[in-house]
Amino acid sequence: MNERVIGDMGPTNWSTLTRMPVKAYHYELDTCFREGLSECQEAFGDQREEVLHRSALMLVKPDGMATGKLRVILDFLNDHGFDVVGAEMFHFNRHTGRELWRHQHTLATLDRLAVNDIVLQAGPSLMLLLRSHGGHAVPATVHLSSLKGKADISQQAADSLRSLLKRPNRLCSMIHCADEPADLVRELNLLMDPAPRRRLLGRLAAGVPSQADTDLLDRVLHSGEFGGVTLDRAAAARRIDELVRERAAERPDLAKPAGRILAWLDAAERGELLPWREFAQVLAVLELKLDVWDLAMLGASHIQEDEPGAIKVIGNPAPDSWLT
């Protein structure tokens, strides 16, 4: 890939940021990447390539927070030579959730986007900035992505992080990792406001966490605010079914929408897919106080996820692309 000029920084050596020409093509026009790279240059100076090579970014998504997976994640990172040097809590909204995966959700169905909104907005997420102290030839982002395991549950290695986290389905994936240095640059800028962004860039530059980072991790691990949720599809469907039946008994005028929901739930138990957006609209008519994770599990387990024949604009880096 040729060097390209980003902002006022002069030629950018894309080969240190990504080995995917399609990603370079889209990111050189991406506002979050452009601003993020400028901020990295300001924070790291002539050490930018080295710092980014040794740094990685992981998100503990709301499902990972709610099910108390941070200890498993930290133990895995430590066992594989990664130190946490920065941590920040944040909340996804509809726009950040769509923008983060804008180049991958080109194959997603609208039902998948709707369910993904539920999962991502169900609670707080935790960003972890990491420093690798291993002598890997590939960037830390690339190495961590190889360790986390494949998205397809049936293809995951038993010792991968995704396997250890025991995620229940594809949409409730617990974690996300930046795939390459270019993704770290873009995602940090996209998800963090200026003040925490500057703080986290400082932590990457220093290579050690602050007391605030340590305190936040301790809070997540030991305060009792996080964990306690079990993602059980069958139990979720049963609880929703019971609430719908109770509402129908209390409100005969809602018998018709309740009946439609119960019919859809029965069909889902037989293995049929839910027409999620229509299902959610009818369910809202009943005005039930549903547990958000029950709703998320039902949707994540019973929808068509990808549009037939659709492709990602930007896929995953080829495993050996960084070895040459």
Side-chain angles (χ1 to χ4, degrees), residues 211-236:
Q211 188 62 47
D213 300 303
T214 302
D215 290 345
L216 177 55
L217 295 179
D218 185 70
R219 173 191 159 195
V220 175
L221 288 171
H222 304 299
S223 69
E225 297 176 59
F226 307 98
V229 170
T230 300
L231 300 179
D232 184 319
R233 184 214 61 81

Side-chain angles (χ1 to χ4, degrees), residues 68 100 109 127 142-143 162 164 178 183 194 230 241 247 256 293 298 320:
L100 182 61
T109 63
M127 179 181 285
V142 177
H143 181 56
R162 279 174 164 164
L164 295 173
D183 301 300
T230 300
D241 184 284
R247 179 51 53 92
K256 184 175 180 179
W293 290 114
L298 187 67
D320 59 352

Side-chain angles (χ1 to χ4, degrees), residues 73-94:
I73 291 168
L74 293 179
D75 288 346
F76 182 90
L77 292 172
N78 183 66
D79 289 344
H80 290 85
F82 287 91
D83 295 327
V84 177
V85 298
E88 191 77 26
M89 200 94 75
F90 72 99
H91 286 80
F92 275 102
N93 59 42
R94 178 176 178 275

Side-chain angles (χ1 to χ4, degrees), residues 66-185:
T67 53
K69 300 296 186 180
L70 183 60
R71 173 47 62 196
V72 175
I73 291 168
L74 293 179
D75 288 346
F76 182 90
L77 292 172
N78 183 66
D79 289 344
H80 290 85
F82 287 91
D83 295 327
V84 177
V85 298
E88 191 77 26
M89 200 94 75
F90 72 99
H91 286 80
F92 275 102
N93 59 42
R94 178 176 178 275
H95 301 291
T96 51
R98 303 296 178 87
E99 183 66 15
L100 182 61
W101 290 283
R102 70 177 305 184
H103 301 103
Q104 291 75 40
H105 279 170
T106 49
L107 57 63
T109 63
L110 297 182
D111 281 350
R112 177 178 166 189
L113 295 179
V115 174
N116 204 49
D117 285 346
I118 297 172
V119 174
L120 290 179
Q121 296 175 47
S125 295
L126 179 68
M127 179 181 285
L128 302 177
L129 273 297
L130 310 170
R131 174 67 68 89
S132 171
H133 49 77
H136 307 293
V138 301
T141 46
V142 177
H143 181 56
L144 182 58
S145 290
S146 70
L147 293 172
K148 77 174 186 291
K150 294 184 178 297
D152 187 335
I153 294 176
S154 66
Q155 297 182 24
Q156 287 174 7
D159 60 350
S160 69
L161 179 54
R162 279 174 164 164
S163 180
L164 295 173
L165 292 174
K166 296 180 171 60
R167 63 186 185 129
N169 52 56
R170 180 181 176 190
L171 270 64
C172 294
S173 59
M174 309 286 185
I175 59 166
H176 164 76
C177 297
D179 288 330
E180 295 182 299
D183 301 300
L184 186 159
V185 170

Side-chain angles (χ1 to χ4, degrees), residues 191-213:
L191 296 173
M192 289 290 129
D193 287 333
R197 206 160 65 226
R198 287 191 294 270
R199 191 187 76 79
L200 291 172
L201 287 169
R203 304 278 34 93
L204 284 179
V208 293
S210 68
Q211 188 62 47
D213 300 303

